[in-house]
Amino acid sequence: MRWRMRRAGSDDASALSLVASATFLETYATVLEGADLVAHCLKNTTTDVFARWTTDPATIVTIAEHEPGHAPIGYTVLTAPDFPFETRPSDIELRRIYILSQMHGTGLGAALMARAREDAAAFQRERILLGVYEHNYRAHAFYERQGFTRIGARQFMVGTTTHNDPVYARDV
């Protein structure tokens, strides 16, 4: 499969919203409550959320598109850290990294992660932090292969359910 990655702009907010909801539902439909999934998507994967992120100078949003045709197939969001513990001024959070499951095993996830590291370095950040659902073992393994190590935990709400998610970090 072929893809391209590029910095997303505000005109990509609708496409990002669609792929964000699709990938979140696809990833968690069999492990989380349906009402919680829907509530999470309606709050956190909206066009407005992505419009804000793509126009925030402190946030980097990358969209991955299938070639040919440029259908959205994945994305990342790098932004100021939001964790319940003290972070360094040189930290950045990889708030989101998702790809459609049909892209698993193609190298797109690793390519998006490499791009996130490049973007973090361009923003003069030294460390990337990320939180991950406690039972998403595939993601844990991916992050560990990418050089991330666990540094803590945080509580994360999906709908009305609180999850205790590990937090990972790696130097840029």
Side-chain angles (χ1 to χ4, degrees), residues 69-81:
H70 309 290
I73 54 174
Y75 71 103
T76 62
V77 177
L78 285 165
T79 191

Side-chain angles (χ1 to χ4, degrees), residues 54-128:
T54 57
T55 58
D56 178 356
T59 301
I60 304 167
V61 181
T62 297
I63 187 167
E65 299 170 321
H66 183 263
E67 294 230 328
H70 309 290
I73 54 174
Y75 71 103
T76 62
V77 177
L78 285 165
T79 191
D82 181 22
F83 292 100
F85 52 81
E86 192 169 330
T87 60
R88 303 173 190 164
S90 61
D91 287 344
I92 194 164
E93 180 179 355
L94 181 56
R95 180 84 44 104
R96 307 270 176 83
I97 179 169
Y98 281 97
I99 62 174
L100 293 173
S101 65
Q102 62 188 307
M103 299 307 297
H104 290 176
T106 66
L108 178 58
L112 278 168
M113 185 63 78
R115 174 73 179 262
R117 287 194 310 272
E118 292 168 9
D119 288 340
F123 260 46
Q124 301 177 337
R125 297 297 182 253
E126 296 175 1
R127 188 170 71 153
I128 298 175

Side-chain angles (χ1 to χ4, degrees), residues 12-24 45-47 50 72 100:
D12 295 307
S14 293
L16 288 160
S17 174
L18 287 171
V19 76
S21 291
T23 55
F24 196 82
T45 65
T46 67
T47 300
F50 282 99
L100 293 173

Side-chain angles (χ1 to χ4, degrees), residues 98-156:
Y98 281 97
I99 62 174
L100 293 173
S101 65
Q102 62 188 307
M103 299 307 297
H104 290 176
T106 66
L108 178 58
L112 278 168
M113 185 63 78
R115 174 73 179 262
R117 287 194 310 272
E118 292 168 9
D119 288 340
F123 260 46
Q124 301 177 337
R125 297 297 182 253
E126 296 175 1
R127 188 170 71 153
I128 298 175
L129 307 176
L130 61 86
V132 61
Y133 174 57
E134 61 189 320
H135 300 297
N136 189 344
Y137 304 115
R138 180 185 181 104
H140 292 242
F142 173 74
Y143 298 136
E144 290 166 9
R145 282 193 310 273
Q146 294 293 316
F148 285 83
T149 57
R150 290 184 192 203
I151 62 163
R154 72 167 173 196
Q155 290 190 326
F156 187 79

